[in-house]
């Protein structure tokens, strides 16, 4: 499956090294200042989207000249920058997975809004195609059912985080759960893979799963 | 009201500058590697608590010699390091506010577990005395009722994040809500103070409020 990369405006030092080193190939959707960063790396985003409040007139001109398509939205909008990027990627690259970069950084309000966006009706359709990737974490989301994920090289830790109420079963991880009732948002962190794969199941809502490393 | 400072083991570069510059006075509770960091700054923590798996034997000896009291717990424990620190502070400094440092950093699993710990029965008693503070954010928690908070200098942004279902009213912020039904975890970010204070009310569960800056 192809993967479209969405780059939003969070601090570059939180990007994974392969993006910092320009080792990731497109297609790219750049959002606001994220578009500018791509262009300055010599990458022509397929879409540049945003209200572009975070860039100067001159910078916006540079974006307009280098992005293949520009979608400029009203500054008073319901969607966050990240949501706009995911929706653009989801609509225009219909069968692609969607990797999001630049979602994390020092501001916890931005981070939390990004981590929780999958619960919103306009993002939920793309939930299972979505990954949020930074230098130390890969975040995925799941809908009810049985699932299996593969261990990412160099990612030691595994976090299961029910965002909504559910019965959760962790089958073959270091710390297991058997149809555990979770009534409120809970982060079961510092779990680990036993082998190369981990399987789990749940019956309702949305589960966030994070692989991370020190 | 007095304030006890709990320092857990997250990366020092996320500490606020006044802690990095040793401008904060005690009492201190150091947790695991956090105790060692305090001692290396010339601070004698009132309590050093943890399983101390994150420090060498030699480092533990240094902690034992310099902390006023050491509480060493079983490595196979139900509480996270941060929870241990909050519980120690909450029990031994009964009427003090509890400021937590070192809770954030690159690993999202740790961060989420720390942000959500207030929903656990052993931490909930300390919820209203708790602040989580790093270089760009101050996180507070509220129980149902009407509340007013003061703007922190240099913190521009305001995030209201219901962790559980509630009706939420934001009275006098830039973006207001009137008895809005929130059924699942939601981050209403990029709100702002109009004046020096912001008031809000809600009817159930737990509300997280974050002041942050770029």
């Amino acid at each position: 499956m192809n993967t479209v990369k969405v780059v939003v405006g969070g601090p570059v030092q939180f990007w994974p090294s392969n993006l910092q080193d320009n080792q990731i190939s497109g297609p790219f959707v750049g959002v606001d200042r994220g578009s500018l960063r791509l262009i300055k790396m010599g990458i022509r985003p397929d879409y540049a989207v945003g209200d572009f409040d975070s860039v100067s007139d001159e910078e916006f001109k540079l974006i307009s000249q280098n992005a293949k398509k520009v979608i400029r939205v009203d500054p008073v909008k319901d969607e966050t920058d990240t949501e706009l990027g995911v929706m653009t990627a989801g609509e225009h690259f219909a069968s692609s997975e969607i990797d999001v970069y630049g979602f994390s950084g020092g501001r916890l309000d931005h981070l939390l809004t990004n981590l929780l966006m999958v619960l919103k009706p306009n993002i939920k359709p793309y939930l299972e195609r979505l990954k949020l990737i930074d230098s130390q974490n890969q975040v995925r989301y799941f809908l009810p059912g049985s699932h299996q994920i593969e261990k990412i090289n160099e990612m030691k830790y595994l976090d299961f985080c029910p965002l909504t109420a559910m019965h959760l079963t962790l089958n073959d991880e270091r710390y297991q759960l058997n149809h555990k009732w979770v009534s409120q948002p809970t982060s079961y962190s510092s779990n680990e893979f036993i082998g190369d794969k981990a399987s789990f199941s749940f019956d309702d809502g949305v589960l966030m799963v994070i692989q991370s490393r020190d």
Side-chain angles (χ1 to χ4, degrees), chain A:
Chain A
M1 195 185 242
N2 296 324
T3 307
V4 51
K5 287 82 179 181
V6 176
V7 179
V8 290
V12 173
Q13 66 264 36
F14 288 82
W15 288 6
S17 56
N18 56 0
L19 181 61
Q20 291 197 39
D21 298 343
N22 208 341
Q23 299 298 309
I24 291 185
S25 57
F28 282 98
V29 172
V31 190
D32 235 88
R33 179 153 287 276
S35 320
L36 189 67
R37 293 204 174 116
L38 289 173
I39 288 163
K40 289 191 169 173
M41 291 164 69
I43 292 170
R44 289 190 65 201
D46 291 70
Y47 291 86
V49 62
D51 57 24
F52 298 103
D53 270 8
S54 72
V55 301
S56 68
D57 288 348
E58 200 174 337
E59 288 171 331
F60 181 66
K61 200 173 161 193
L62 191 68
I63 293 169
S64 302
Q65 287 166 344
N66 288 280
K68 294 178 192 165
K69 294 197 186 86
V70 176
I71 304 174
R72 190 167 199 172
V73 301
D74 192 319
V76 183
K77 58 187 192 302
D78 284 337
E79 293 82 20
T80 67
D81 280 355
T82 312
E83 288 163 19
L84 274 179
V86 170
M87 290 164 73
T88 303
E91 283 163 24
H92 294 283
F93 300 88
S95 63
S96 295
E97 297 197 3
I98 303 167
D99 288 358
V100 178
Y101 299 93
F103 69 98
S104 59
R107 270 180 61 185
L108 292 180
D109 57 340
H110 278 167
L111 175 65
L112 287 166
T113 303
N114 289 336
L115 291 176
L116 294 173
M117 68 178 166
V118 295
L119 298 177
K120 294 188 182 177
N122 52 1
I123 301 298
K124 207 164 180 182
Y126 312 118
L127 180 154
E128 291 186 296
R129 294 160 56 190
L130 203 60
K131 288 193 190 79
L132 276 57
I133 302 169
D134 71 10
S135 55
Q136 289 182 251
N137 307 276
Q138 188 225 58
V139 183
R140 290 180 66 186
Y141 300 93
F142 295 89
L143 293 173
S146 294
H147 303 277
Q148 189 178 61
I149 57 170
E150 290 186 18
K151 186 176 185 304
I152 301 170
N153 265 347
E154 299 177 6
M155 293 282 194
K156 183 174 175 188
Y157 303 103
L158 191 54
D159 183 42
F160 293 92
C161 189
L163 298 179
T164 53
M166 65 179 61
H167 290 93
L168 177 62
T169 297
L170 306 179
N171 297 303
D172 49 17
E173 292 78 5
R174 185 169 299 279
Y175 305 101
Q176 298 170 16
L177 294 176
N178 182 15
H179 202 64
K180 164 91 174 175
W181 171 241
V182 188
S183 63
Q184 53 191 7
T186 306
S187 170
Y188 292 100
S189 63
S190 298
N191 210 331
E192 294 180 29
F193 286 82
I194 296 291
D196 290 340
K197 296 182 178 182
S199 48
F200 52 92
S201 61
F202 63 105
D203 58 357
D204 198 19
V206 175
L207 178 68
M208 178 164 70
V209 180
I210 305 177
Q211 292 193 51
S212 62
R213 64 183 182 84
D214 283 320

